[in-house]
Amino acid sequence: MEDICAAPRLFPDNAWEGQVKQGLLGDCWFLCACAVLQKSRHLLDQVFPPGQPSWSDQTYCGLFTCRIWQFGQWEEVTIDDRLPCLAGRLCFSRCQREDVFWLPLLEKVYAKVCGSYEHLWAGQVADALVDLTGGLAERWSLKDLAGTSGQQDRPGRGWEQRTCRQLLRLKDRCLISCSVLSPRAGARDLGEFHAFIVSDLRELQSRAGQGILLLRILNPWGRHCWQGLWREGGEGWSQVEPAEESELLSQLQDGEFWVEEEEFLREFEEVTIGYPVTEAGHLQSLYTEKTLCHVQALPGAWVVGQSAGGCRNNSCFPCNPKYWLRLSEPSELCVAVLQRPRKHPAGRARALVGRGPAPSSLLAKDYQAKDYQAVGLHIWKVEKRRVSLPRILSTPPVAGTVCHAYDREVHLHCELSPGYYLAVPSTFLKDMPGQFLLRVFSTGKISLSAVRAVAKGASPGAALPAGEWETLQLRGCWRAGQTAGGSRNFASYLCNPCLPFSVPAGSGPRCIRITLHQHCQLSDSQLHPIGFHVFQVPAAGERRGAGPLLLQEPLLSCVPHRYAQEVSRLCLLSAGTYRVVPSTYLPDTEGSFTVTIATRVDRRSIHSQETLGQVLQEVRDAPAWCGVSACSSCGPSCPSPSSPSSPSQLPESHRAEIPGP
């Protein structure tokens, strides 16, 4: 380091000395995000742990350690202080004072995380903000801000409050960046695919009494490049008093310039805003300034043939990973789906920002599509004890992203009432693999859990005939002297568990598969002979006890009792109410069991029509039918069957484990 500077320093004495300045590398997106650390000391301490020895300390050994947030956790990265140079000067990023080195060192840390300096060439400001803060960052299209047609959060508050004026109250709380994403006439002064920092906003009164909103823009190139009306000596300053002109122009540093709101909306295409982070580490809402102090996160995956169901255009959409979200009180939420890149995180399928031509290794036609899928997120409100997944997922959600996007992280902002919700992250195309992290930030208390699924091969769901099925499990147990009544050969048969279920109405009889699974090791010495009978409940007898019903002849049976871990019966049942009675052959034979009832779903496969990058259009309402209600005769002490460790192992049957209170 002494070869570059005689007296190097890690941090500056004032903000201007440490201001970012871009070098030969096209990583303006990362440098803009780095400016957030200059706004908040506690964020800087999170990334640069304090107390590390530097060049003036005797204990310094040429190493620095930084922390970068990666897929849900902070990872420590150690580097040496050797930096790329040309002719004795830094060739990549630097600070305004070239004896300050926090920025080029952090750039080297991030290059190590991403794989190389080359992989910093072009990216998204929002991704770097998340990696430096562990929070969230929103991207606002300035075309939508200029108009009134854009709506990202249809059911909740948000889009209607997104205006340039809103940036006034956000400027001191968080980082604001703006970008030029495409080459076009009139944008030559700003470059192409380039990111800037919005360093200040000022609201003035013109001489005519009209309001003027000015934005101070910092170009990471570190030189003046703007020839608009509000340049030094420009015509725009004639609208304000000379004293205000002198004050505002005196604030400009190298690379800064002023633009008026109309120019800003015309010349720039996107704004990126990082959520403010409190000293306690909580995010604050961009819309209400409320603290999102309750946070939950769970990993998941889209697995080909199991849980990669694609978007809502596909009939296999219910196969996607599903999550229960419970709200204890009215809450403002931000729910996000963060993808894990399959390669280095430099590839994006939306427009990237970065100066100059990309290296040849980044020009492959399929480069951008390899790292991330087009991803969306939808949320449905559900009843606590009665869930029909095909019906629920056929109705419009209460909140959802407007479309599937090739972004590393997609998220939605909404306000929800107390209750249970079902969150479903999905890719646009089915059978597209990927891993993700579902994150929920809320003002009120929440709980998040994965919808349990039975792994393929562990239940009869994997052997169901082709088509779409709704599957529900009813758990119970046989206890000696209580619920272990044995087969119909014995008078104690009436004591067996009697589990109710219903068959929804349809165009005709429904295809039903009923399976009885006993929980024990698969060996002849432990297996009991098992079977079951199904009784139809007459309309007049629904409120009567089970005893008289079980004295009648069953509608269908799965007998004789067999020494098997699992027995099943495929049948056609008309709409109505039924009772299934599982039993062992001999009375007082103890054990636990699960009865699985799979109902063939009769509905059209297309619920919506979505084109990638376009707003989702609902095309129909779901047909009205009710699902099968869960019931157990043995209470909470009954042992439950083993469940898979990964929520991503979803068979085509849609098994929903109802959460407890």
Side-chain angles (χ1 to χ4, degrees), residues 168-205:
L168 276 169
R169 64 178 180 83
L170 294 174
K171 66 175 184 176
D172 297 325
R173 300 169 50 219
C174 53
L175 179 95
I176 304 173
S177 173
C178 54
S179 303
V180 178
L181 301 180
S182 60
R184 53 191 170 84
R188 291 190 300 272
D189 294 340
L190 300 177
E192 300 172 356
F193 305 106
H194 192 41
F196 301 77
I197 299 169
V198 180
S199 51
D200 194 13
L201 292 94
R202 293 289 294 272
E203 194 167 23
L204 308 176
Q205 287 289 326

Side-chain angles (χ1 to χ4, degrees), residues 561-601:
H561 291 66
R562 293 193 297 120
Y563 283 95
Q565 189 161 27
E566 196 170 83
V567 295
S568 66
R569 173 78 186 269
L570 186 66
C571 58
L572 292 175
L573 294 179
S574 301
T577 304
Y578 298 85
R579 298 288 189 271
V580 57
V581 181
S583 64
T584 58
Y585 181 72
L586 296 175
D588 295 333
T589 303
E590 294 195 334
S592 59
F593 62 84
T594 296
V595 173
T596 302
I597 300 176
T599 305
R600 180 72 175 266
V601 176

Side-chain angles (χ1 to χ4, degrees), residues 2 187 201 228 278 290 334 399 421 640 642:
E2 286 76 7
L201 292 94
T278 67
K290 295 179 181 178
C334 288
Y421 294 85
S640 61
S642 59

Side-chain angles (χ1 to χ4, degrees), residues 196-524:
F196 301 77
I197 299 169
V198 180
S199 51
D200 194 13
L201 292 94
R202 293 289 294 272
E203 194 167 23
L204 308 176
Q205 287 289 326
S206 70
R207 292 178 176 179
Q210 297 176 337
I212 300 176
L213 180 64
L214 293 183
L215 299 93
R216 194 170 86 205
I217 309 297
L218 169 63
N219 186 347
W221 290 346
R223 65 175 186 267
H224 293 291
C225 63
W226 179 244
Q227 299 300 318
L229 295 177
W230 296 86
R231 69 186 185 279
E232 189 172 358
E235 299 175 3
W237 296 108
S238 62
Q239 302 178 43
V240 300
E241 297 295 334
E244 289 183 306
E245 175 187 1
S246 177
E247 177 194 355
L248 295 179
L249 288 177
S250 67
Q251 296 176 7
L252 297 180
Q253 305 290 345
D254 290 345
E256 289 187 325
F257 54 93
W258 290 98
V259 297
E260 191 264 337
E261 180 180 10
E262 183 178 346
E263 292 178 316
F264 181 73
L265 292 173
R266 181 177 65 249
E267 300 297 339
F268 295 92
E269 297 174 61
E270 186 176 82
V271 164
T272 300
I273 307 174
Y275 275 62
V277 183
T278 67
E279 292 190 12
H282 301 309
L283 301 191
Q284 286 185 302
S285 170
L286 294 178
Y287 305 99
T288 64
E289 301 186 26
K290 295 179 181 178
T291 301
L292 307 173
C293 54
H294 299 276
V295 183
Q296 293 284 333
L298 283 176
W302 297 288
V303 180
V304 176
Q306 296 183 32
S307 59
C311 70
R312 297 175 62 209
N313 295 343
N314 302 300
S315 61
C316 52
F317 175 79
C319 297
N320 281 301
K322 295 172 285 292
Y323 295 85
W324 292 118
L325 176 63
R326 183 186 181 187
L327 276 63
S328 303
E329 54 191 303
S331 303
E332 178 183 358
L333 292 91
C334 288
V335 189
V337 178
L338 174 67
Q339 296 188 69
R340 183 190 289 274
R342 287 180 286 174
K343 293 175 61 181
H344 297 295
R348 309 289 189 273
R350 291 190 62 182
L352 309 181
V353 287
R355 186 176 78 99
S360 59
S361 62
L362 303 187
L363 297 180
K365 292 182 180 179
D366 60 345
Y367 175 78
Q368 294 175 343
K370 286 183 177 179
D371 289 334
Y372 300 117
Q373 306 291 351
V375 172
L377 173 66
H378 296 87
I379 297 177
W380 285 264
K381 189 166 187 180
V382 298
E383 296 298 329
K384 177 181 176 182
R385 294 291 182 185
R386 195 174 184 85
V387 178
S388 171
L389 288 178
R391 187 192 70 172
I392 289 295
L393 299 181
S394 296
T395 61
V398 297
T401 52
V402 294
C403 63
H404 285 65
Y406 282 107
D407 290 332
R408 190 181 76 166
E409 186 168 43
V410 299
H411 57 88
L412 58 91
H413 167 261
C414 55
E415 292 184 353
L416 300 178
S417 59
Y420 285 94
Y421 294 85
L422 190 68
V424 184
S426 63
T427 58
F428 181 72
L429 298 175
K430 66 178 181 179
D431 290 334
M432 301 300 290
Q435 295 180 327
F436 63 87
L437 181 68
L438 181 66
R439 299 195 289 164
V440 182
F441 302 83
S442 173
T443 57
K445 293 182 179 180
I446 55 173
S447 63
L448 182 68
S449 60
V451 174
R452 295 292 182 181
V454 178
K456 264 188 176 179
S459 79
L464 289 172
E468 191 172 352
W469 294 77
E470 179 190 24
T471 308
L472 198 72
Q473 294 177 337
L474 311 176
R475 299 175 179 176
C477 60
W478 298 292
R479 292 179 179 171
Q482 299 180 32
T483 58
S487 65
R488 296 181 72 220
N489 297 340
F490 303 93
S492 56
Y493 175 77
L494 302 181
C495 299
N496 280 303
C498 186
L499 308 179
F501 71 97
S502 61
V503 175
S507 57
R510 290 293 185 90
C511 183
I512 308 288
R513 167 158 284 180
I514 304 174
T515 303
L516 172 62
H517 179 96
Q518 60 175 314
H519 305 150
C520 60
Q521 296 298 323
L522 192 57
S523 64
D524 291 339

Side-chain angles (χ1 to χ4, degrees), residues 9-22 30-39 41 44 48 90 93-107 175 197 218-220 222 253-254 256:
R9 296 180 294 160
L10 186 58
F11 299 113
D13 295 328
N14 58 64
W16 177 82
E17 292 180 349
Q19 191 168 271
V20 302
K21 193 171 182 179
Q22 187 177 357
F30 172 70
L31 301 183
C32 288
C34 288
V36 72
L37 304 181
Q38 296 178 290
K39 284 180 168 284
R41 183 69 194 187
L44 181 63
F48 272 95
L90 293 173
S93 72
R94 61 178 69 94
C95 296
Q96 290 289 348
R97 280 288 300 266
E98 295 192 21
D99 61 344
V100 176
F101 287 94
W102 75 272
L103 182 63
L105 288 172
L106 183 57
E107 183 184 50
L175 179 95
I197 299 169
L218 169 63
N219 186 347
Q253 305 290 345
D254 290 345
E256 289 187 325

